[in-house]
Amino acid sequence: MEFHKKDVEYLLTNLNTDDKVGLSSEEAEKRLEKYGFNELKEESKKSFFSKVLAQFNDFLIIILIAASIISYIVGEKTDSVVILAIVIINALLGLYQEGKAEKALEALKKMAAPNAKVIRDGATTIVPANALVPGDIVLLESGDIIPADLRLIESSNLKIEEASLTGESVPVEKNAQEVFNSEVSLGDRKNMAYMSTIVSYGRGKGVVVGTGHDTEIGKIATMIQTYEEEATPLQNRLNQLGKYLGIACITVCVLVFGIGLLQGRDLLEMFMIAISLAVAAIPEGLPAIVTIVLALGMNRMVKRNAIVKKLLAVETLGCTTVICSDKTGTLTQNEMTVVKVFTDNKIVDVSGIGYEPIGEFKIGDSILSLEESENLNTLLTIGLLCNDAVLDKTDEGYRILGDPTEGALVTLAGKGNMTKEELNKKYPRVDEIPFDSARKMMTTIHENFFPSKLVSFTKGAPDIVINRSNSIYINGKIVPLTEELKEDILNINTKFSRDALRVLALAFKVFDKLPEKVTSENVENQMVFVGLVGMIDPPRKEAKEAIQKCEEAGIKTVMITGDYKDTAFAIAKELGMASHEDEAIMGSDLDKVSDNEFRELVKKKRVYARVSPEHKVRIIDALKANGEIAAMTGDGVNDALALKKADIGVSMGITGTDVAKNTAEVILTDDNFASIVAAVEEGRIIYSNIKKFVFFLLSCNIGEILIVFLSILLGLEVPLIPIQLLWLNLVTDSFPALALGMEKGEPEIMKIPPRNVDEPILDKGMIRGIIVQSIAIALGALFAYRWGLITYGAESLIEARTITFATLITAELLRAYSARSEKHTVFEIGMFSNKTMTCATLISFVLLLVVIYLPFLQPIFDTYALSFKDWLIVISFSIFPFIVGELYKIILKKKA
């Protein structure tokens, strides 16, 4: 039922309840059995066992497990244990980093109010909020959390903070008597109050019309449960790479096994050679290195104010093509601020003035001191005293306690060296007429502002205050408010409104003696108009630079907000997100568009105003259907659905609700749009580095395959045994690969468009580079092997194999330096500019010396202590692939 379209009498009859008596206890019990508790049920979580199994759901891992089992069966127990250890370590790393299961529904449950004040059996009582049922009559007052969805029955100056549900940046005025004949958005339903929102002002009474999963917040919870997790682009690419490598590995193993048998070699010997090839082909360290590099990236992002909860989300940020951002607090400062003042027939621009109290305001190129402007002094005094908000100073700075609009006036007065405490003592409040949504004004009455007089200070809607004024304050004097002056003021008001400013008018009235009964009719008439104040939640300065950076990087930025269209577009225009009004659209207009039309619409629109949670999800779905990689930012319950559906959900760490934080993959610790862009840049660097070490590892592994394959074709004994290949892939290659994951990134990384999500890790350029490098590595190692066979004789393989082993490791360590950039030579980027790489290669080289020279390791690795002459040969042949790689870059650069 659309409760906002029904009048109170109809609802009370339909729900069989009474607004004075409420439900009886017996009836409440019956309804509790029928409707269930007013709480959100949790979906079942994955078991620990299923999480462990998920870590082994990878083609490369399955091949490694098979290789471990076969190695054990044929008696190579050391190889078997080492391979199995790799698989287990990788699984443990994955479990540790992925961590806890999502807690979105737990957070939603926490947001519910613990208790509710209701009328039952004709008496007011407190009941647990989870025991509320449809038909219960709930009483509301300032500070209460709404315990269920309510249709309001009564409202007295009632304002409700709905930002977490609708995105509306200021409290919403409620009116129980309003009935809507047509469909209106969630944020415009002034006769409704929704679960988890907060009463910020006034009081009210409402009838419960929805509990648990039937509330608006419950619908969000249900939709969160139904969304399936989608694989990230990196998961897809790594799975694809794993399958290709696995198929290639099996093909080569079968091919070599067949060639060996045709050559008349021993069956068991050929089987072990095939195992050697499998070990050489698979980059065993790749899954663990990817996990570690992503984890290191997560740590770097923390320093840039972004906490990444999900490991693979780190890289997904790097291929983001569109960022859908909330407005309030992310693109703006989340602080209503007065930016323009009109008084004394002058417009005062105060937008550039900071929070610290000062005594001067800029007007164009001149300076107006408060002491010299009676009008400005009076305007600030009215704004400060006709006000219930407080400016509180803390160790972190200033904060507003109360309504944000009133807070902006208090802050403005603070900038003029005025404090509420001081002025309240000087001009004490003796009476007041509270704000009323029908009058749209508030008035307070004070002593001593004029000698021996009383004065009323009024603030409110400009058109109403102006029409109730018959005088104007100019140059410190009261003069008649002519129709011409009135028209000028209304034009200024229109100008402010067109700039999306929230405008208030300020006025006063002088009394010799107060009326016997203070009312709106005898106080808020024939007033003296003083001026207008225009306020807005101003954009963050750094957000504009970040949006410009996004444009340069080929990333589109989109604003999705619960605020009104004019306000949203004005901010978007100032930030450079949009330039024409037709780039903005209201949420209500989105309901009229089909899915196909929606896909075309999202290509053009940059601002979505007054949107519902369903609209946000639809926008994300349409963007994804167009092939975009969408990041979505948000802080409220209303954002949870879109955060879940987006490729990357980004929650605010300061203002964000627990729901948003637990649904998102990324949490911004400073609620700043610029931090998203920094995270995107970090994501691009991480992916670039992943490509670098995949390039490095595969060129080394394919080089190893070629060494074994070519030696078989040439009728030679295999130059490397399985344990040596395992040592190469796990120990020698892993440290430099990790160091490649620590590269700072190319200078032009944020000047290029986002990569295509379907682009494989191995692009054409990388494949060509791998072919060149692997052939160079294979030739260098085979020439060294050949030299060893000639020098020491074919009968003594241990010397030749050790020389080959040392040559291959040294070549791969030098290759790691070359792999630091696909375009730039090591001399351009600095041979030793990556200190981690220097340490990594030194560690790997020392470990090579350990297995060659330590006597107890020599039998395990089939090595002998190399002589000085041997090392000259090793260095000569190992430097060859490095030279080839650097020359290849120079040739490519010249062709480009």
Side-chain angles (χ1 to χ4, degrees):
M1 187 185 292
E2 294 176 306
F3 301 105
H4 58 285
K5 292 183 180 179
K6 308 296 180 184
D7 61 37
V8 173
E9 289 73 20
Y10 174 88
L11 279 175
L12 293 175
T13 304
N14 188 266
L15 290 167
N16 195 19
T17 189
D18 185 280
D19 63 329
K20 303 288 190 297
V21 179
L23 298 174
S24 67
S25 299
E26 294 78 14
E27 180 61 23
E29 285 293 327
K30 287 179 188 175
R31 295 191 186 188
L32 191 61
E33 285 180 28
K34 179 181 177 181
Y35 294 104
F37 283 103
N38 177 33
E39 58 190 16
L40 305 174
K41 291 173 187 149
E42 236 180 302
E43 62 181 334
S44 56
K45 293 178 181 178
K46 287 182 180 179
S47 67
F48 179 75
F49 182 68
S50 64
K51 289 181 203 171
V52 172
L53 282 180
Q55 299 299 320
F56 298 98
N57 186 24
D58 181 274
F59 201 76
L60 277 176
I61 298 294
I62 292 165
I63 291 175
L64 282 175
I65 293 169
S68 174
I69 293 166
I70 293 167
S71 296
Y72 188 84
I73 291 168
V74 299
E76 297 292 334
K77 293 183 180 178
T78 305
D79 294 0
S80 173
V81 170
V82 171
I83 295 169
L84 200 59
I86 300 159
V87 172
I88 292 168
I89 289 167
N90 184 63
L92 289 172
L93 274 170
L95 280 172
Y96 175 75
Q97 291 295 342
E98 297 285 333
K100 302 170 185 176
E102 290 210 6
K103 295 180 180 177
L105 293 185
E106 283 182 18
L108 283 164
K109 288 172 78 175
K110 284 178 189 173
M111 288 192 70
N115 294 305
K117 192 185 292 181
V118 300
I119 298 174
R120 280 191 185 171
D121 301 311
T124 301
T125 184
I126 304 290
V127 301
N130 67 353
L132 287 178
V133 293
D136 262 325
I137 305 299
V138 178
L139 302 176
L140 303 172
E141 57 187 41
S142 183
D144 286 351
I145 298 174
I146 308 295
D149 281 5
L150 311 175
R151 168 62 166 90
L152 294 171
I153 300 169
E154 296 175 10
S155 58
S156 176
N157 299 325
L158 184 63
K159 290 184 183 182
I160 296 180
E161 173 61 67
E162 295 184 335
S164 67
L165 185 64
T166 66
E168 172 65 76
S169 58
V170 293
V172 178
E173 292 175 25
K174 296 294 181 177
N175 183 358
Q177 303 311 311
E178 194 150 0
V179 178
F180 296 93
N181 298 318
S182 59
E183 188 53 52
V184 290
S185 66
L186 205 66
D188 292 322
R189 296 175 190 172
K190 296 189 176 181
N191 56 9
M192 298 290 295
Y194 293 106
M195 187 180 191
S196 86
T197 59
I198 302 167
V199 179
S200 63
Y201 196 84
R203 55 188 177 79
K205 184 195 286 187
V207 58
V208 175
V209 293
T211 60
H213 279 273
D214 292 326
T215 60
E216 288 298 325
I217 196 174
K219 290 173 190 174
I220 293 171
T222 303
M223 291 175 75
I224 288 174
Q225 288 178 335
T226 60
Y227 287 153
E228 294 289 329
E229 289 286 340
E230 296 178 6
T232 67
L234 182 61
Q235 278 176 306
N236 292 330
R237 299 288 74 80
L238 287 174
N239 289 338
Q240 184 188 62
L241 177 63
K243 285 174 185 174
Y244 288 161
L245 288 175
I247 292 165
C249 167
I250 293 165
T251 304
V252 172
C253 288
V254 171
L255 185 64
V256 168
F257 187 74
I259 291 169
L261 290 180
L262 288 174
Q263 289 177 343
R265 298 197 184 210
D266 180 69
L267 181 68
L268 184 59
E269 180 197 353
M270 287 313 303
F271 186 77
M272 288 310 300
I273 288 169
I275 291 291
S276 299
L277 267 176
V279 170
I282 300 170
E284 289 88 349
L286 180 60
I289 292 166
V290 169
T291 305
I292 292 166
V293 167
L294 290 173
L296 292 170
M298 287 172 76
N299 292 334
R300 283 202 302 275
M301 283 189 179
V302 170
K303 294 174 184 175
R304 302 186 80 169
N305 302 310
I307 298 170
V308 182
K309 290 163 51 187
K310 191 174 178 183
L311 202 61
L312 285 157
V314 174
E315 177 277 332
T316 309
L317 274 165
C319 53
T320 300
T321 60
V322 57
I323 300 174
C324 300
S325 178
D326 187 24
K327 176 184 75 72
T328 307
T330 310
L331 295 169
T332 64
Q333 296 172 19
N334 197 21
E335 292 167 340
M336 288 300 285
T337 305
V338 176
V339 290
K340 286 187 179 176
V341 171
F342 170 74
T343 189
D344 216 8
N345 277 338
K346 298 182 183 74
I347 294 176
V348 185
D349 186 348
V350 294
S351 58
I353 298 174
Y355 280 99
E356 292 301 324
I358 59 169
E360 296 176 334
F361 285 102
K362 292 181 183 177
I363 302 183
D365 295 324
S366 64
I367 298 293
L368 175 68
S369 171
L370 288 178
E371 287 74 24
E372 296 168 10
S373 173
E374 188 65 32
N375 270 56
L376 193 56
N377 212 321
T378 302
L379 181 135
L380 266 62
T381 302
I382 296 170
L384 183 61
L385 294 180
C386 183
N387 196 314
D388 291 326
V390 177
L391 183 64
D392 182 38
K393 188 171 184 180
T394 66
D395 293 339
E396 289 79 32
Y398 291 95
R399 65 172 180 170
I400 289 296
L401 304 177
D403 183 86
T405 303
E406 291 194 324
L409 295 173
V410 175
T411 304
L412 178 68
K415 294 173 182 179
N417 284 333
M418 291 183 178
T419 66
K420 199 163 189 179
E421 188 180 17
E422 184 184 330
L423 260 66
N424 271 328
K425 286 179 183 175
K426 198 172 179 182
Y427 315 121
R429 185 189 294 191
V430 295
D431 210 337
E432 65 182 286
I433 307 173
F435 176 84
D436 184 295
S437 57
R439 288 175 22 254
K440 295 186 178 179
M441 289 184 292
M442 173 184 176
T443 296
T444 57
I445 298 170
H446 299 263
E447 296 176 331
N448 303 334
F449 189 75
F450 294 108
S452 305
K453 305 277 185 183
L454 291 166
V455 64
S456 64
F457 291 148
T458 299
K459 74 171 189 294
D463 53 338
I464 294 172
V465 172
I466 292 164
N467 286 327
R468 287 190 175 219
S469 299
N470 64 355
S471 306
I472 184 170
Y473 204 50
I474 296 178
N475 293 324
K477 295 177 182 177
I478 298 172
V479 298
L481 179 61
T482 64
E483 287 301 316
E484 187 181 349
L485 280 171
K486 192 178 285 190
E487 191 176 337
D488 288 343
I489 297 165
L490 289 171
N491 285 337
I492 295 291
N493 176 47
T494 303
K495 183 180 184 300
F496 281 7
S497 298
R498 279 180 187 158
D499 291 336
L501 300 183
R502 186 183 180 92
V503 189
L504 287 176
L506 303 174
F508 70 85
K509 185 175 180 179
V510 183
F511 298 87
D512 291 318
K513 182 182 177 184
L514 280 180
E516 192 172 317
K517 185 178 180 183
V518 172
T519 65
S520 175
E521 286 69 28
N522 58 30
V523 172
E524 295 173 336
N525 275 311
Q526 299 182 325
M527 294 185 290
V528 181
F529 175 81
V530 176
L532 302 172
V533 290
M535 62 188 73
I536 198 168
D537 181 9
R540 290 176 179 265
K541 291 177 184 176
E542 61 272 28
K544 189 169 185 176
E545 294 174 15
I547 287 165
Q548 179 59 38
K549 200 170 185 180
C550 283
E551 292 295 324
E552 291 173 1
I555 301 168
K556 186 165 76 173
T557 51
V558 173
M559 182 192 290
I560 303 178
T561 179
D563 270 342
Y564 286 96
K565 183 179 171 182
D566 288 346
T567 305
F569 175 71
I571 295 291
K573 188 176 181 182
E574 190 169 342
L575 288 170
M577 291 177 81
S579 53
H580 302 289
E581 282 190 33
D582 58 6
E583 291 179 284
I585 188 169
M586 287 284 286
S588 55
D589 296 327
L590 299 177
D591 296 322
K592 305 165 189 173
V593 181
S594 69
D595 288 343
N596 286 336
E597 290 171 324
F598 209 110
R599 285 183 62 177
E600 292 304 309
L601 181 142
V602 296
K603 293 177 182 177
K604 302 168 188 171
K605 300 300 179 186
R606 302 294 290 269
V607 178
Y608 300 88
R610 218 72 186 145
V611 292
S612 69
E614 289 78 13
H615 291 145
K616 294 183 181 186
V617 173
R618 209 171 163 210
I619 292 164
I620 293 293
D621 282 339
L623 288 167
K624 290 173 74 173
N626 289 341
E628 305 278 9
I629 299 297
M632 169 73 194
T633 78
D635 57 4
V637 179
N638 62 317
D639 299 314
L641 296 173
L643 291 173
K644 183 90 170 179
K645 193 68 174 171
D647 294 291
I648 288 288
V650 182
S651 169
M652 304 300 109
I654 300 170
T655 59
T657 59
D658 285 345
V659 184
K661 290 177 190 175
N662 286 309
T663 305
E665 286 90 7
V666 179
I667 299 171
L668 301 182
T669 56
D670 61 350
D671 290 12
N672 195 334
F673 183 85
S675 295
I676 306 170
V677 182
V680 168
E681 183 176 3
E682 195 63 51
R684 287 190 174 193
I685 291 169
I686 287 165
Y687 184 76
S688 172
N689 289 346
I690 287 173
K691 283 190 74 172
K692 285 171 186 175
F693 67 68
V694 167
F695 187 14
F696 165 70
L697 289 173
L698 291 186
S699 59
C700 293
N701 284 43
I702 292 170
E704 291 160 21
I705 291 170
L706 287 173
I707 292 165
V708 176
F709 185 63
L710 290 173
S711 65
I712 294 290
L713 285 180
L714 295 169
L716 301 171
E717 291 294 331
V718 179
L720 298 161
I721 60 174
I723 192 72
Q724 290 174 337
L725 289 167
L726 270 174
W727 183 264
L728 269 160
N729 290 355
L730 289 176
V731 181
T732 307
D733 291 350
S734 294
F735 289 114
L738 276 172
L740 285 170
M742 300 293 287
E743 282 290 325
K744 292 178 182 177
E746 310 286 340
E748 64 275 10
I749 200 138
M750 285 299 279
K751 303 285 185 184
I752 55 174
R755 73 176 194 280
N756 191 313
V757 69
D758 296 322
E759 175 193 303
I761 290 178
L762 298 180
D763 55 35
K764 290 178 182 178
M766 191 185 286
I767 291 170
R768 284 194 296 267
I770 287 171
I771 291 168
V772 170
Q773 283 293 309
S774 56
I775 290 172
I777 288 168
L779 288 175
L782 282 172
F783 282 131
Y785 182 52
R786 184 67 178 159
W787 184 90
L789 288 175
I790 292 169
T791 305
Y792 293 100
E795 300 79 20
S796 182
L797 282 174
I798 189 168
E799 291 86 356
R801 279 178 171 164
T802 305
I803 289 168
T804 309
F805 183 52
T807 301
L808 188 54
I809 285 179
T810 310
E812 290 182 1
L813 294 180
L814 288 170
R815 161 81 189 115
Y817 284 94
S818 184
R820 288 178 55 206
S821 176
E822 286 183 65
K823 299 174 184 176
H824 306 289
T825 66
V826 291
F827 306 106
E828 289 173 326
I829 61 174
M831 184 76 177
F832 302 107
S833 57
N834 183 345
K835 292 177 182 177
T836 310
M837 177 63 75
T838 307
C839 293
T841 49
L842 279 173
I843 290 168
S844 292
F845 192 74
V846 168
L847 289 170
L848 166 64
L849 298 179
V850 166
V851 297
I852 288 176
Y853 290 105
L854 283 184
F856 69 91
L857 290 176
Q858 288 175 343
I860 297 171
F861 287 92
D862 198 22
T863 56
Y864 97 110
L866 294 177
S867 67
F868 180 75
K869 183 177 75 172
D870 296 332
W871 275 111
L872 289 177
I873 296 302
V874 166
I875 293 166
S876 299
F877 286 118
S878 62
I879 206 166
F880 171 68
F882 173 79
I883 294 168
V884 169
E886 294 303 289
L887 287 173
Y888 180 69
K889 289 183 200 174
I890 293 167
I891 292 164
L892 280 181
K893 196 176 281 187
K894 283 183 178 178
K895 283 186 178 179

